Amino acid sequence: ARFTSNDPLACEVTIDSFGPNVSDLTLEDDTGESPTDGLTSNTMPTLSWSPTDDLGLWKSQWRLDAGEWQDTFDTTATLELSEGSHTFEVRAIDLAGNVSDVAAQNVTVDAAAPVVEDLILQNDTGESSTDGTTSDSTLSFAWTASDNVGIWCHQYRLDGGEWQDKDITLVQLAVEEGEHVFEVRAIDLAGNVSAPSPSNHGSNMSG
């Protein structure tokens, strides 16, 4: 094509002054009591989000703990995190260069299991107060549990049966005469499960 001084020139211009939006920022590996409490036992969790824009998206940017913004053309990020609390932020940039508001998600990583200790038979009537022998057919067990982020629940079982939930550190069980094995464990708020209490800690019963 040849243009002369009489040929009109045209340029189409699109004005976009509205920024994109970021929604549904989610910790995919939330293992806590609630699926939205930001607690995870995974040290390499994945976060996802949904950016939208009327005219088109260019990219997303994310940062961890107020660090440098990182470009991504994906809508997920998998991070290697240390134990403790972190803040993940993400924003979107559209084709016109508008930047969205920042969406933030607090993430607490807890990969350490709780600890159960001091399991005792409260009504031990044997020669020793810790020999696991009692004349009482109702057994009363108590224990302590600790965790750095908090205990969600306790679980116990008798003689290898099904685990039963318990919200306090005390249980009473009616049993038949003979030897029994009582075990207890704790689950923390991030979903970590302690090792079962050793069966030789006052839990072998004969009556």
Side-chain angles (χ1 to χ4, degrees):
R2 185 180 63 170
F3 295 95
T4 68
S5 60
N6 295 323
D7 292 329
L9 297 179
C11 180
E12 184 176 314
V13 176
T14 299
I15 298 175
D16 175 18
S17 60
F18 294 98
N21 182 61
V22 174
S23 61
D24 300 326
L25 177 55
T26 303
L27 173 62
E28 298 290 344
D29 304 275
D30 195 312
T31 58
E33 182 180 4
S34 162
T36 58
D37 59 12
L39 278 171
T40 182
S41 58
N42 189 350
T43 57
M44 293 190 66
T46 297
L47 294 102
S48 64
W49 60 93
S50 299
T52 56
D53 186 78
D54 291 340
L55 296 181
L57 292 164
W58 175 25
K59 63 183 177 181
S60 294
Q61 293 182 323
W62 62 264
R63 68 179 181 181
L64 184 68
D65 298 333
E68 295 294 323
W69 288 104
Q70 308 294 320
D71 290 344
T72 182
F73 297 97
D74 204 349
T75 57
T76 63
T78 299
L79 310 174
E80 185 172 358
L81 301 181
S82 60
E83 290 246 352
S85 298
H86 302 275
T87 300
F88 178 86
E89 296 174 289
V90 65
R91 65 188 182 184
I93 304 175
D94 67 15
L95 294 174
N98 298 301
V99 182
S100 73
D101 292 335
V102 174
Q105 170 70 55
N106 293 322
V107 179
T108 299
V109 177
D110 172 28
V115 175
V116 174
E117 54 192 354
D118 300 328
L119 173 61
I120 62 170
L121 174 65
Q122 290 186 312
N123 52 345
D124 192 313
T125 60
E127 181 179 1
S128 163
S129 61
T130 59
D131 62 8
T133 302
T134 182
S135 60
D136 196 335
S137 61
T138 298
L139 309 181
S140 179
F141 292 99
W143 62 94
T144 61
S146 59
D147 186 77
N148 58 324
V149 298
I151 300 295
W152 173 34
C153 74
H154 308 268
Q155 291 184 327
Y156 70 89
R157 68 180 178 182
L158 186 68
D159 299 333
E162 295 294 322
W163 288 104
Q164 307 294 322
D165 290 346
K166 192 74 174 178
D167 58 1
I168 60 173
T169 58
L170 176 68
V171 65
Q172 293 182 323
L173 301 171
V175 298
E176 297 179 351
E177 283 223 5
E179 185 174 286
H180 301 278
V181 176
F182 176 85
E183 295 173 285
V184 65
R185 65 187 185 184
I187 303 174
D188 69 15
L189 294 173
N192 299 299
V193 182
S194 74
S197 61
S199 61
N200 61 349
H201 282 195
S203 56
N204 285 325
M205 296 305 309
S206 59

